[in-house]
Amino acid sequence: MKQDFGVFDVHSDLFTNVTLRRQAGETDVIRAHHIRQLRAGNVCAMLCCIWIDPPYTENPPARMVEIMASACAELREAQDIAEAAHSAADIERICAGGKLAILLGMEGLSGLHGRVDFLDVLYAWGVRHAMLTWNEVNAFAHGASCHEDKGLTSLGIKALDRMEELGMLVDVSHANERTFWDVCEHITKPFIASHSNAYALCAHARNLKDDQIKALAARGGVIGMNAWPEFIDGAAPSAERLADHVDHIRDLVGIDHIACGFDFCDYLTSDTLDSFTSSDVVTEGLESAANIPSLFALLRARGYSEEDVEKIAHGNMMRVVKAVIG
């Protein structure tokens, strides 16, 4: 099999697993449970999010700090195999050294309790990305679980302004449709949908409609292809079907706006998964990071060039990182 290009996975809940395992007494979790699969999938960079998982939503700030603390402790132990990145140059340097580059992000800002100025603290801690919401309605925006025609709040607008000033990636993957359009109207830099697919092929609220994909592309952004089964196909999710989503987006806006945002959950505990899904269906052929090369093999078989594959694997996302974060 042809060696694939290094992959930049634009959405991972790695630090949720790290936190749960460390709280149970484990250490060096990345080395023990993750690095082998990531290397098998040729993943060289990841955007790892701080996610307030549903069992902990009663006290979002406390959970945010717990996960950040676990991430810092873990990265100290794993410094020979992984390193936090704060810029595009960092990502390139870390990957060139054979280590995993980790860009820190926020999967929702509920942990801020409406305090926009705390974005400066997150930035100082190394965070370079944020979604305003994880599905829920919070002080900043209305998430994908809200089907009303309500989007950004006044605090949300202030948060976006500060994120642009700081140089943080804005992510709309968990936004509802109104919030998406409000973000599109308000910010000036490229933005991303880190882990969403095409609504035209799978009508799920977490996927983007064609006009949204066109608007995101017009701003220079990318949409990360998501391996979570519910966002691929309601009946038979598979790597082949995810390749159909890639085809659709390429035909709609071109190859330059497609990335990888796999959202693998094979390592999350049943308690965590059961808190937001009742499905035990998996995506055939794309069950974990180790299967990533099979998706690129499918794309090559469909006629995608090596340049196309490289763009999807990491080139498109690196372009956005350079434009927004620097």
Side-chain angles (χ1 to χ4, degrees):
M1 177 182 286
K2 180 178 175 58
Q3 176 64 40
D4 280 310
F5 299 102
V7 176
F8 190 162
D9 186 352
V10 189
H11 184 77
S12 172
D13 293 309
L14 174 77
F15 285 127
T16 296
N17 182 254
V18 163
T19 301
L20 292 171
R21 288 185 178 277
R22 293 187 73 90
Q23 289 177 330
E26 292 190 50
T27 58
D28 220 1
V29 176
I30 293 175
R31 193 187 317 273
H33 297 283
H34 295 278
I35 198 65
R36 182 178 299 179
Q37 282 191 332
L38 292 170
R39 286 175 174 167
N42 205 28
V43 176
C44 66
M46 292 196 300
L47 203 169
C48 294
C49 282
I50 310 304
W51 170 44
I52 313 301
D53 32 336
Y56 301 93
T57 52
E58 290 186 4
N59 192 346
R63 188 59 174 169
M64 178 179 69
V65 172
E66 284 177 347
I67 297 175
M68 287 295 296
S70 293
C72 290
E74 184 70 22
L75 287 170
R76 283 196 302 273
E77 294 169 358
Q79 58 186 291
D80 60 317
I81 58 172
E83 184 179 339
H86 301 152
S87 66
D90 281 350
I91 294 172
E92 291 170 346
R93 171 184 57 78
I94 295 165
C95 291
K99 295 196 290 185
L100 176 67
I102 293 180
L103 197 68
L104 289 175
M106 299 296 298
E107 191 164 14
L109 293 178
S110 60
L112 273 60
H113 267 193
R115 299 177 180 91
V116 173
D117 288 344
F118 205 81
L119 284 166
D120 289 68
V121 178
L122 294 181
Y123 189 86
W125 286 352
V127 175
R128 295 294 183 269
H129 154 281
M131 303 169 224
L132 296 178
T133 174
W134 179 77
N135 290 341
E136 83 284 359
V137 177
N138 63 25
F140 301 102
H142 291 71
S145 64
C146 175
H147 303 294
E148 299 178 71
D149 188 27
K150 295 180 179 179
L152 289 178
T153 67
S154 58
L155 283 176
I157 291 172
K158 291 179 181 178
L160 289 178
D161 288 342
R162 190 59 188 142
M163 287 176 65
E164 284 212 300
E165 290 166 358
L166 288 168
M168 294 175 67
L169 283 167
V170 175
D171 189 344
V172 295
S173 259
H174 276 281
N176 72 354
E177 195 167 352
R178 181 69 262 160
T179 295
F180 173 96
W181 289 113
D182 287 350
V183 169
C184 186
E185 178 181 337
H186 190 75
I187 67 173
T188 61
K189 296 178 182 179
F191 62 98
I192 67 172
S194 62
H195 55 307
S196 297
N197 295 328
Y199 187 93
L201 275 65
C202 181
H204 193 287
R206 282 273 289 96
N207 289 337
L208 298 189
K209 296 178 179 178
D210 285 357
D211 57 347
Q212 292 176 293
I213 296 171
K214 289 178 180 178
L216 181 147
R219 298 290 292 281
V222 297
I223 175 172
M225 298 292 90
N226 192 333
W228 184 249
E230 291 179 42
F231 309 148
I232 295 175
D233 189 277
S238 65
E240 283 273 8
R241 189 58 174 157
L242 185 58
D244 292 342
H245 286 261
V246 177
D247 287 348
H248 179 82
I249 297 169
R250 177 205 56 189
D251 294 344
L252 193 66
V253 296
I255 200 71
D256 292 333
H257 306 286
I258 307 169
C260 301
F262 292 113
D263 197 15
F264 290 121
C265 293
D266 55 294
Y267 50 77
L268 293 181
T269 63
S270 59
D271 287 348
T272 300
L273 293 175
D274 291 347
S275 64
F276 65 90
T277 182
S278 58
S279 174
D280 58 359
V281 176
V282 297
T283 299
E284 182 182 353
L286 203 54
E287 294 88 356
S288 75
N291 303 118
I292 292 172
S294 66
L295 175 63
F296 294 142
L298 287 172
L299 295 178
R300 290 188 180 100
R302 294 185 181 204
Y304 285 76
S305 69
E306 292 308 304
E307 181 183 4
D308 292 339
V309 173
E310 183 177 15
K311 285 183 174 183
I312 294 169
H314 71 257
N316 291 336
M317 184 59 190
M318 283 299 295
R319 182 194 73 243
V320 175
V321 170
K322 289 175 182 177
V324 177
I325 298 175

